[in-house]
Each structure stands twice: as C-alpha cells, then as structure tokens.
Amino acid sequence: MAGFTVNTPSVHDLPAYLSPPEHILIDPEVLNAQLTGRVLSRLPGIPWSLSTDQRSGPRAQASGIDSGKQNSFILYLKHYKGRFLRYCPGTRNYNCCAYRIMHIGENCPLNCSYCILKAYFQDRIIKVWANQEDLFKELELKLRPGNRLFRAGTGEFTDSLALEPLTGYTGDLVQFLGNYPNVCLELKSKIINLSWIKKVSDPSRVLPAWSVNSQEIIKTQEQGSAGLEERMRAAAGCAAQGFRVCLHFDPIIHYPGWEKGYALAVETIFDYLRPENIAYLSLGSFRFMPELEKMLMRDESRATYIYNEFITGLDGKKRLFLPLRLKQFAFIAKHLKDKGLLDRHMYFCMESSYVWTKVLGYTPEDLGGLDRHLLRLSFDP
Amino acid sequence: MQEILTISFEENIKLDPCLFWAEPYGSDLIDSLDALGQMIPVLVHRDGDSLVLIAGYKRYQSLKKLLKKIKALRIDAPDPWDKGVAYLLSNQGQGLDPGRIIRALRYFKPLNKDMHSIYQILGIPERAREKHLYKAWLKLPPVWDELLIKNPQLLPNAHALSLLEPQDLEVLFPFLDGLAWSRNKARIFLELLDRTSSGKAGNIREVPGLLNLDKLLVKDLTPRDKMEAMLKVLYRAAYPEYYKLMDKAEKDINRLTSATGWSCIHTDHFESQDLEFRIRVRSPGELKVAADQLRKMADSELLSHWPVSP
Ligand code: SF4
C-alpha cells in the first residue's frame, strides 16, 4: 500500500498467544522514541505508517488497513496527551480498593469472552503510549520519593504483560520505579512473561499478579491465556526470587459445576504457593456494563454464563443476583481459609459492606478502610 | 420504442409485480383527476396481447372508477430491476415507513443486483443502523413483512429475529402478530425467550409450550394484559432465584405492614438492604398512631433477617 514502510522480513519469535500485528501505526511525535525503535526492531517485516489523520483518529485510518481477520490487530504507538496516573474508577455504592492506575496503553491481544474492554473499545486497535519520557516526567512529579506511599498497577485498560515481548514497557517501568521505594507496583496478567524481573532492584516493591479462575473458565472463556498451573508455576518462580504475588479470583462465574471448578482452582493455587507468598487475593464476581451483555448474547456463543440471573446493581452495572454471589464467595473464601490464607489477606472487588460482613464477618471500615488496608499489605509482608 | 396510448377504462390491464406499493386509492386523487384530467400518463409495457401496468396504479384505478379513458406511455419491456426502479422513482416523495420500505426491498432482493442504489432511493444512508436492520429483516420469511407493515415497532428487533431458526420463527409468529408490541417490550420479550431457552428449554420454540404462553395468547384478555402476563411469566422463568426471594420478601413486607396504614417497598434488587416506608396522615392524631406502628415494625423479628442469608 502506498505510503507504508516495511521492515526487513524475518520470522518473529513471539509467544503463542501473540500473533504479530497486521500493521503498526505511529504518531509522528513518537517516531524516534526509544520504545518505537524497540517495537520496530522486534517486528521486522511488519508494515508501518505514520498516523496522518489525527483529527478523525486512528480508527478511521485503521479501517483502511484492518483486514478483519480473526485475531488480527493493529498496533498503535501513540503520543499520549492525557494523565498517566489515575484513580481506579470505583463507584460510590461499593467498596473500591482505590489503587492508582498507571495508564500505559489500551486494549489487549488476548480474547476473553467477558472482557469489558470489548465494550469500551469496539475495535482491534491496541494502543501503547510510546512517549514514555512524558510518563516518567509525570510520575517524577507525582511520586517524589519519600512522599506518601502508592499502590499502583498497569493492568486496568490492558493486560500488564501481554505486549511485553514487543514493547518491554514493564521492564522500563520497574527500572524507573527502582528509585521510588514509596511505590509498590502490581503487574496483573493472564500470561507468563517474567522478562522484566532482571530490571527489578527491590522485589518487595513489585507484586506480580495473576488472575485466577477455574480450569473450565480459563479453557473456554480466556482464549490465548496461560493455564492455571502455568500461572501458578510462574507465581512460584517469582516467590522463589523474593517476590510476593497477588491473585485475583475475578471474574468469578456462576456456571453448572462451579463448586468443583473453584475448589480445584484453590487446590491448584496451593499446590504451588504457600499462604505467605500471597500479598493479597481478591474475589470479584462477574459484573459488566449492559452493552457487554448484548454483545455477548449476539456474538459469543461460548459465553453461556451470560444467561444467568444478573440484575442491575447500584452503580448501573449488571451483577449476579446477591444470594448467588454470596454462595460463591462463601464457598471460595472457605476453601482459601482451609488452605491457610488469612481472611485479612482477602478482599472483595466492588462489593457492599453487607457482602463483607456476611462472608468475612467484618467490613472494610473495620480494617481502617480498604485502600489503607491494601496499602499496608502491599508494603509490609 | 415508446408510444402514447389511450386505453378504454373497460380494458383490463395486468398488474406487474413491480407495483409493490399498490394500495387502495383515495378520494382526493379521484376528485383531482375528475377536475383537472389526467396530466401524467401511466406506464405500461406489452406482454403478448395484453398491456401490463408498471407505474401509476392509483391513477389507473381512479380513472377506471371515473369511467374515463386512460393515457398511458408504453415502453419496451424493461427488465424487472428497471421496472422496479421506474416504479420507485415515480412514487418518490410518498411517505416511507418500514412497511413500504420492506416491500420495496423484498421485490429487489431476489433480483440479485447491488442493492446500494435502492437503499439510496429509499433515503437510507450507507452506514445507517437502519440499513442493517432492513438487511436482517430480509432474512426472515416474506410472510413476516406483514407483521412489519402492521407494527413498524418490530424493526429494531430484526437482528435478534434473523438469528432464529425457521421453526422458532414459526412458533413466535402468532405472538408478534396479534399484539401491538412496543419496540422496547418486543425486545424484552425476545430477550427473555432467549434467556429462558438458553437456561431451560434449549430452543425458543419450546418455551411457549413449557410456560403455557400459548394458552395465554388465546385467553380472553385485552392484548395489553396478554403482553403483561406473558412478560411476567417469562421474567419468572428467567430469574427463578430472584423471584423466589422477591416473593418471600413481599410476604414478609405484607406481614410487617398488615394492620397498619404504612406501605413499604424495596427497589434495589436486594443490592441494598434499604426499605422505603410511606404513609399519608391527615391529623396529628393519625401521625401519632403511625409513629407507634412504625416503632412496632422497627422491633419486628421480620426485619432482623432482612433481606437474605447466604
Ligand atoms: S486479559 Fe484482561 S484485558 Fe486482556 S482480553 Fe482478557 S480480560 Fe481483557
């Protein structure tokens, strides 16, 4: 195609979940950025072009490039102008863990049926904020060492590590944060990539985190992701190198046979980890924007769980009817406790104090607030 | 070759299938033809010995009724596509509704040409959502067009309907035929059928029988009551646990407020424990009584378990 440049062709050495992008779109401002150079050098043979139409956005430009093939995507190296450090968009009606989001990009190469990003970004453009120096400048300003403590993570609008083989973003970030002992960085993922470890100066300030689920859900709904055993093997590897890990039972899905599935998932976790390896573990029931429900019903025959009893919650999102949620939470929490995980190391993602009391016997207020509690758990083993 | 013909009102002209909007004619057209005469000829072509009308159906019928001669422009037999386009263009400017649009599209679709220009003439832009809806509707059997003609509110559900199997459509037809579903209620109806079938029945076609919706359909109720009753049954089937608790909660609330003037509701689907109490009083005396009743309700055993236990 006219105006496109093609790198020297070569075979890409990428993990199975990550096919090379069909095209790379680059904002002119970041053409010479270190990250752009790295991505291009790791993707020889992939055509790239400068984004020309900043006004109508990459979507319009990409629509002429996207072949629409399954699993294909366009990688957009963007000159991001917004705020990099943000608050988690929790809502007033449920208890939020209040962590800070380090925004490094949007969208994800994996294909989880329930992924909320589908409803947010209805395209196959994966964006990476390539102006890292702006990110670091903003972080320098806001995180000044010695100031207050921060618990932050990159896995809100993308999987923290899925693009690491292409971008090396997390490696750069942990290296930068080596100078900020007041920051604890959580890296939430469903794949295995530990390439960033060699750049970590203090393992107590990085929390590798995996989303965990039953084998059935991982196999049928989290296409491209690593199996639970693989995830836990990697977690054990991290623990052996002095890291504590975080686990997120999220989304917990109510499907026929869930008891067996989640009991086995807990077993698997503790086949690899000891309770003290886990900084904290969250329990989050599947919740979604109403738009996602329509998309799943229309496009995802594998997502049969969507026909369950979901009601509209106080935040306008859909969530499983409370008694069903409580049953699942109580069941999983009991299995975790039986394995020795202290209930103070568990928390609920976006649940009411009523749910906390019913399952754990106390509320986030009893812990001094969920944000403070998790901050303590992040920093103090 | 073209020629202008004058045809007797007694002559029988065949109607071409391209007259997809042929409808009974109105008296105002008859009046104007009577007063002014026929200004524009109708369009015909010859098929053997007969003439076939391809545009001007209303004028033709009106002039026949007035026992007047009919001026016609005869053209060489055009192919069905061109005939349709000629008819469409000669009727441009007439009000378009989903029923008329689908009749036009249904005519052109089997002719297997690029429909782009037809959508354009019908005033439906290339990227409009409406276009996708009509495309989806065209996947339904032609008999469904009658439903759309009667109730244009069904169009937004075209996509959901187009995904159903023929047997499901057959069973659903009478449920959408006799009742004037609003756009939103029709959507909920289909969604609940889908939900219920995915959970229990396996196929949408089995749901009406399983839940006795077919009996409700023939029951002596107003169409509105029938729709309400069917939605209620479907909601209960799709959300059994929710309604189990709802029934229990309602029973408890009724017991709690019985013999008081208070009403009490819960509106948060059990996501909160909140209850709203309401009363109307007309005097300080009534207010005192109400306050006593409220105090008693606050002490009730019924509230100590509200609303659920795991
Ligand atoms: S890994 Fe996370 S971000 Fe990626 S598709 Fe799955 S749910 Fe979405």
Side-chain angles (χ1 to χ4, degrees), chain A residues 16-62:
Chain A
Y17 71 84
L18 186 61
S19 49
E22 208 170 326
H23 191 93
I24 307 165
L25 210 53
I26 306 171
D27 275 348
E29 298 91 328
V30 294
L31 180 60
N32 296 317
Q34 185 197 357
L35 186 130
T36 305
R38 193 186 290 150
V39 169
L40 291 179
S41 74
R42 290 179 185 183
L43 286 172
I46 302 299
W48 63 270
S49 60
L50 289 179
S51 68
T52 47
D53 198 348
Q54 304 250 350
R55 215 162 13 99
S56 56
R59 206 184 277 200
Q61 196 174 345

Coordinates of all heavy atoms in Angstrom, one line a residue, chain A residues 16-62:
Chain A
A16 N 2.9 -18.0 21.8 CA 1.7 -18.5 21.1 C 0.5 -17.5 21.1 O -0.2 -17.4 20.2 CB 1.4 -19.8 21.6
Y17 N 0.3 -16.9 22.3 CA -0.9 -16.0 22.4 C -0.8 -14.7 21.6 O -1.8 -14.1 21.4 CB -1.1 -15.7 23.9 CG -0.1 -14.7 24.4 CD1 -0.3 -13.3 24.2 CD2 1.0 -15.1 25.1 CE1 0.6 -12.4 24.7 CE2 1.9 -14.2 25.6 CZ 1.7 -12.9 25.4 OH 2.7 -12.0 25.9
L18 N 0.4 -14.4 21.1 CA 0.6 -13.1 20.5 C 1.0 -13.2 19.0 O 2.2 -13.5 18.7 CB 1.7 -12.3 21.3 CG 2.0 -10.9 20.9 CD1 0.7 -10.0 21.1 CD2 3.1 -10.3 21.7
S19 N 0.0 -13.0 18.2 CA 0.4 -13.0 16.7 C 0.9 -11.6 16.4 O 0.5 -10.7 17.0 CB -0.8 -13.4 15.9 OG -1.9 -12.6 16.2
P20 N 1.8 -11.5 15.4 CA 2.3 -10.2 15.1 C 1.2 -9.3 14.6 O 0.3 -9.8 14.0 CB 3.4 -10.4 14.0 CG 3.3 -11.9 13.7 CD 2.4 -12.6 14.6
P21 N 1.3 -8.0 14.9 CA 0.2 -7.1 14.4 C 0.2 -7.1 12.9 O 1.2 -7.3 12.2 CB 0.5 -5.8 15.0 CG 2.0 -5.8 15.3 CD 2.3 -7.3 15.6
E22 N -0.9 -6.8 12.3 CA -1.1 -6.7 10.9 C -0.3 -5.4 10.4 O 0.2 -5.4 9.3 CB -2.5 -6.6 10.6 CG -2.9 -7.1 9.2 CD -4.4 -7.2 9.2 OE1 -5.1 -7.4 10.2 OE2 -4.9 -6.9 8.1
H23 N -0.3 -4.4 11.2 CA 0.2 -3.1 10.8 C 0.6 -2.3 12.1 O 0.0 -2.5 13.1 CB -0.9 -2.4 10.0 CG -0.3 -1.1 9.3 ND1 0.1 -1.2 8.0 CD2 -0.2 0.1 9.8 CE1 0.5 0.1 7.7 NE2 0.4 0.9 8.7
I24 N 1.6 -1.5 11.9 CA 1.9 -0.6 13.1 C 1.6 0.8 12.6 O 2.1 1.3 11.6 CB 3.4 -0.8 13.5 CG1 3.7 -2.2 13.7 CG2 3.7 0.0 14.7 CD1 5.2 -2.5 13.7
L25 N 0.9 1.5 13.5 CA 0.5 2.9 13.2 C 1.3 3.7 14.2 O 1.3 3.4 15.4 CB -0.9 3.1 13.4 CG -1.7 4.1 12.6 CD1 -1.5 4.0 11.1 CD2 -3.2 3.9 12.9
I26 N 2.0 4.8 13.7 CA 2.9 5.5 14.7 C 2.6 7.0 14.6 O 2.5 7.6 13.5 CB 4.4 5.3 14.3 CG1 4.7 3.8 14.3 CG2 5.3 6.0 15.3 CD1 6.1 3.5 13.7
D27 N 2.4 7.6 15.8 CA 2.2 9.1 15.8 C 3.6 9.7 15.4 O 4.6 9.2 16.0 CB 1.8 9.6 17.2 CG 0.2 9.5 17.3 OD1 -0.4 9.3 16.3 OD2 -0.2 9.6 18.4
P28 N 3.6 10.7 14.6 CA 4.9 11.3 14.2 C 5.8 11.7 15.4 O 7.0 11.6 15.4 CB 4.5 12.5 13.3 CG 3.1 12.2 12.9 CD 2.5 11.3 13.9
E29 N 5.1 12.2 16.4 CA 5.9 12.7 17.6 C 6.7 11.6 18.3 O 7.6 11.9 19.0 CB 4.9 13.3 18.7 CG 4.1 14.5 18.2 CD 2.8 14.1 17.6 OE1 2.7 13.0 17.0 OE2 1.8 14.9 17.7
V30 N 6.3 10.3 18.1 CA 7.0 9.3 18.8 C 7.8 8.4 17.9 O 8.2 7.3 18.2 CB 6.0 8.4 19.7 CG1 5.4 9.2 20.8 CG2 4.9 7.8 18.8
L31 N 8.0 8.9 16.6 CA 8.7 8.0 15.7 C 10.1 7.7 16.1 O 10.6 6.6 15.9 CB 8.7 8.8 14.3 CG 9.4 8.0 13.2 CD1 8.8 6.7 12.9 CD2 9.5 8.8 11.9
N32 N 10.7 8.7 16.8 CA 12.1 8.4 17.3 C 12.2 8.0 18.7 O 13.3 8.0 19.3 CB 12.9 9.7 17.0 CG 13.0 10.0 15.6 OD1 13.2 9.1 14.8 ND2 12.8 11.3 15.2
A33 N 11.0 7.7 19.3 CA 11.0 7.3 20.7 C 11.7 5.9 20.9 O 11.7 5.1 20.0 CB 9.6 7.2 21.3
Q34 N 12.3 5.8 22.0 CA 13.1 4.5 22.3 C 12.2 3.3 22.1 O 12.5 2.3 21.5 CB 13.6 4.6 23.7 CG 14.5 3.4 24.0 CD 14.7 3.2 25.6 OE1 14.2 4.0 26.3 NE2 15.4 2.2 26.0
L35 N 10.9 3.5 22.6 CA 10.0 2.3 22.6 C 9.6 2.0 21.1 O 9.5 0.8 20.8 CB 8.8 2.7 23.4 CG 7.8 1.5 23.5 CD1 7.4 1.3 25.0 CD2 6.5 1.7 22.7
T36 N 9.5 3.0 20.3 CA 9.1 2.8 18.9 C 10.2 2.0 18.2 O 10.0 1.0 17.5 CB 8.9 4.1 18.2 OG1 7.9 4.8 18.9 CG2 8.4 3.9 16.7
G37 N 11.5 2.4 18.4 CA 12.6 1.7 17.9 C 12.6 0.3 18.3 O 12.8 -0.6 17.5
R38 N 12.3 0.0 19.6 CA 12.4 -1.3 20.1 C 11.3 -2.2 19.4 O 11.5 -3.3 18.9 CB 12.1 -1.3 21.6 CG 12.5 -2.6 22.3 CD 12.1 -2.6 23.7 NE 13.0 -1.7 24.5 CZ 12.5 -1.0 25.6 NH1 11.3 -1.1 26.0 NH2 13.4 -0.3 26.3
V39 N 10.1 -1.6 19.3 CA 9.0 -2.4 18.7 C 9.3 -2.7 17.2 O 9.1 -3.8 16.8 CB 7.6 -1.6 18.8 CG1 6.5 -2.2 18.0 CG2 7.2 -1.5 20.2
L40 N 9.8 -1.7 16.5 CA 10.1 -1.9 15.1 C 11.2 -3.0 14.9 O 11.1 -3.8 14.0 CB 10.4 -0.6 14.4 CG 9.3 0.4 14.2 CD1 9.8 1.6 13.5 CD2 8.1 -0.2 13.4
S41 N 12.1 -2.9 15.8 CA 13.2 -3.9 15.7 C 12.8 -5.3 16.0 O 13.3 -6.3 15.6 CB 14.4 -3.5 16.6 OG 14.1 -3.8 17.9
R42 N 11.7 -5.4 16.9 CA 11.2 -6.7 17.2 C 10.2 -7.2 16.3 O 9.7 -8.4 16.4 CB 10.6 -6.7 18.7 CG 11.7 -6.5 19.7 CD 11.1 -6.5 21.1 NE 12.2 -6.2 22.1 CZ 12.0 -6.1 23.4 NH1 10.8 -6.3 23.9 NH2 13.0 -5.9 24.2
L43 N 9.7 -6.4 15.4 CA 8.7 -6.8 14.4 C 9.2 -6.6 13.0 O 8.5 -5.9 12.2 CB 7.4 -6.0 14.7 CG 6.6 -6.4 15.9 CD1 5.5 -5.5 16.1 CD2 6.1 -7.9 15.8
P44 N 10.3 -7.2 12.6 CA 10.7 -7.0 11.2 C 9.7 -7.5 10.3 O 9.0 -8.5 10.6 CB 12.0 -7.7 11.2 CG 12.0 -8.7 12.3 CD 11.1 -8.1 13.4
G45 N 9.5 -6.9 9.1 CA 8.6 -7.4 8.1 C 7.2 -6.9 8.3 O 6.4 -7.1 7.4
I46 N 6.9 -6.3 9.4 CA 5.5 -5.8 9.6 C 5.4 -4.3 9.0 O 6.2 -3.5 9.4 CB 5.1 -5.7 11.1 CG1 5.3 -7.1 11.7 CG2 3.7 -5.2 11.3 CD1 4.4 -8.2 11.1
P47 N 4.5 -4.1 8.1 CA 4.4 -2.7 7.6 C 4.0 -1.7 8.6 O 3.2 -2.0 9.5 CB 3.2 -2.9 6.5 CG 2.5 -4.1 6.9 CD 3.5 -5.0 7.6
W48 N 4.5 -0.6 8.5 CA 4.1 0.5 9.4 C 3.9 1.8 8.7 O 4.4 2.0 7.6 CB 5.1 0.7 10.6 CG 6.5 1.1 10.1 CD1 7.5 0.3 9.8 CD2 7.0 2.4 10.0 NE1 8.7 1.0 9.4 CE2 8.4 2.3 9.5 CE3 6.5 3.7 10.2 CZ2 9.1 3.5 9.3 CZ3 7.2 4.8 9.9 CH2 8.6 4.7 9.5
S49 N 3.2 2.7 9.3 CA 3.0 4.0 8.6 C 2.7 5.0 9.7 O 2.4 4.7 10.9 CB 1.8 4.0 7.7 OG 0.6 3.6 8.4
L50 N 3.0 6.3 9.4 CA 2.7 7.4 10.3 C 1.2 7.6 10.4 O 0.6 7.6 9.3 CB 3.5 8.6 9.9 CG 5.0 8.5 10.1 CD1 5.6 9.8 9.6 CD2 5.4 8.3 11.5
S51 N 0.7 7.9 11.5 CA -0.7 8.3 11.6 C -0.8 9.7 11.0 O -0.1 10.6 11.4 CB -1.2 8.2 13.0 OG -0.6 9.2 13.8
T52 N -1.7 9.8 10.1 CA -1.8 11.1 9.4 C -3.0 11.9 9.8 O -3.0 13.1 9.8 CB -1.8 10.8 7.9 OG1 -2.8 9.8 7.6 CG2 -0.5 10.4 7.3
D53 N -4.0 11.1 10.1 CA -5.3 11.8 10.3 C -5.6 11.9 11.8 O -6.4 11.1 12.3 CB -6.4 11.0 9.6 CG -7.6 11.8 9.4 OD1 -7.7 12.9 10.0 OD2 -8.5 11.4 8.6
Q54 N -4.9 12.8 12.5 CA -5.1 12.9 14.0 C -6.5 13.3 14.3 O -7.0 13.0 15.4 CB -4.1 13.9 14.5 CG -2.7 13.5 14.2 CD -1.9 13.1 15.4 OE1 -2.3 13.1 16.5 NE2 -0.7 12.6 15.1
R55 N -7.1 14.0 13.4 CA -8.4 14.6 13.7 C -9.5 13.5 13.8 O -10.2 13.3 14.7 CB -8.8 15.6 12.7 CG -9.6 16.8 13.3 CD -9.6 18.0 12.4 NE -9.1 17.7 11.1 CZ -9.9 17.5 10.0 NH1 -11.2 17.6 10.2 NH2 -9.4 17.3 8.9
S56 N -9.6 12.7 12.7 CA -10.6 11.7 12.7 C -10.1 10.4 13.5 O -10.9 9.5 13.7 CB -11.0 11.3 11.3 OG -9.8 10.9 10.6
G57 N -8.9 10.4 13.9 CA -8.4 9.4 14.8 C -7.9 8.2 14.0 O -8.2 8.0 12.8
P58 N -7.2 7.3 14.8 CA -6.6 6.1 14.1 C -7.7 5.1 13.6 O -7.4 4.4 12.7 CB -5.8 5.5 15.3 CG -6.5 5.9 16.5 CD -7.0 7.3 16.2
R59 N -8.9 5.2 14.2 CA -9.9 4.2 13.9 C -10.2 4.4 12.4 O -10.3 3.4 11.6 CB -11.1 4.4 14.7 CG -11.9 3.2 14.8 CD -13.2 3.4 15.6 NE -13.0 3.3 17.0 CZ -14.0 3.1 17.8 NH1 -15.2 2.9 17.4 NH2 -13.7 3.1 19.1
A60 N -10.4 5.6 11.9 CA -10.7 5.8 10.5 C -9.6 5.4 9.6 O -9.8 4.7 8.6 CB -11.0 7.3 10.3
Q61 N -8.3 5.7 10.0 CA -7.2 5.3 9.2 C -7.0 3.8 9.2 O -6.7 3.2 8.2 CB -5.9 6.0 9.8 CG -4.8 6.0 8.8 CD -3.6 6.8 9.4 OE1 -3.7 7.6 10.3 NE2 -2.4 6.6 8.8
A62 N -7.2 3.2 10.4 CA -7.0 1.8 10.5 C -8.1 1.0 9.8 O -7.8 -0.1 9.3 CB -7.1 1.4 12.0

